[in-house]
Amino acid sequence: MQQELHNKKRANLTTNNNNTQLPSIPDKLYFSIGEVAKFCEVKPHVLRYWEQEFEQLKPSKRRGNRRYYQRKDVLLVWQIKELLYGQGFTIEGARAQLLLSVEDISSLPLEILQRALTDLEDLLLELEAN
């Protein structure tokens, strides 16, 4: 009976968190923990836990210790969620994967990074024109 319940919970986790499309994020500078939790479909206590486990996730804190996430933080939360729930990494594995992706980018020649930046800027201008 317990094994059956465990399997149902596991199935719910995979079906509920299989959505790999990030919903549109409003165009503003800061987001509350509740907003980020809603965008990324995780509970606020999970975000607070991830802050302890992933050194890259550091929302700014203001009066009353309220957390304010920036757009880059929301994208990082989404990436962490995808690594943990979508790809099945452990916390330690996801942490290593995030570090690896940063090292991969930093090891690229400067010329390639500059070309990629130029391409992204061109794409942004094209999107803004439409």
Side-chain angles (χ1 to χ4, degrees):
M1 182 68 165
Q2 279 188 342
Q3 182 64 32
E4 195 175 300
L5 183 60
H6 175 72
N7 289 342
K8 281 184 180 180
K9 284 183 181 179
R10 189 178 195 94
N12 284 342
L13 265 180
T14 56
T15 57
N16 290 345
N17 294 312
N18 237 359
N19 183 8
T20 57
Q21 286 278 356
L22 178 64
S24 63
I25 302 171
D27 189 25
K28 59 188 221 178
L29 292 177
Y30 296 102
F31 303 92
S32 70
I33 192 169
E35 290 172 318
V36 176
K38 185 177 176 183
F39 296 145
C40 297
E41 300 170 346
V42 294
K43 303 277 184 183
H45 70 270
V46 172
L47 293 174
R48 289 189 291 272
Y49 175 70
W50 287 353
E51 287 173 27
Q52 295 172 1
E53 295 297 323
F54 297 94
E55 65 184 33
Q56 301 94 328
L57 186 58
K58 294 272 187 231
S60 56
K61 292 184 181 178
R62 297 207 182 133
R63 262 189 308 190
N65 240 2
R66 291 180 185 258
R67 290 163 171 81
Y68 290 94
Y69 292 82
Q70 295 178 9
R71 185 177 203 81
K72 66 179 177 65
D73 297 320
V74 176
L75 296 174
L76 180 60
V77 167
W78 191 262
Q79 186 178 8
I80 291 169
K81 177 189 169 196
E82 175 58 26
L83 288 170
L84 294 174
Y85 299 149
Q87 297 180 26
F89 282 92
T90 61
I91 294 280
E92 189 175 324
R95 196 180 305 126
Q97 193 70 22
L98 287 174
L99 288 174
L100 182 63
S101 65
V102 169
E103 288 173 7
D104 286 346
I105 289 173
S106 64
S107 68
L108 290 174
L110 186 59
E111 180 182 312
I112 292 173
L113 293 173
Q114 288 174 333
R115 193 173 337 129
L117 180 61
T118 303
D119 290 346
L120 288 172
E121 288 171 341
D122 291 344
L123 181 61
L124 182 61
L125 288 173
E126 197 175 302
L127 289 172
E128 287 175 347
N130 294 331

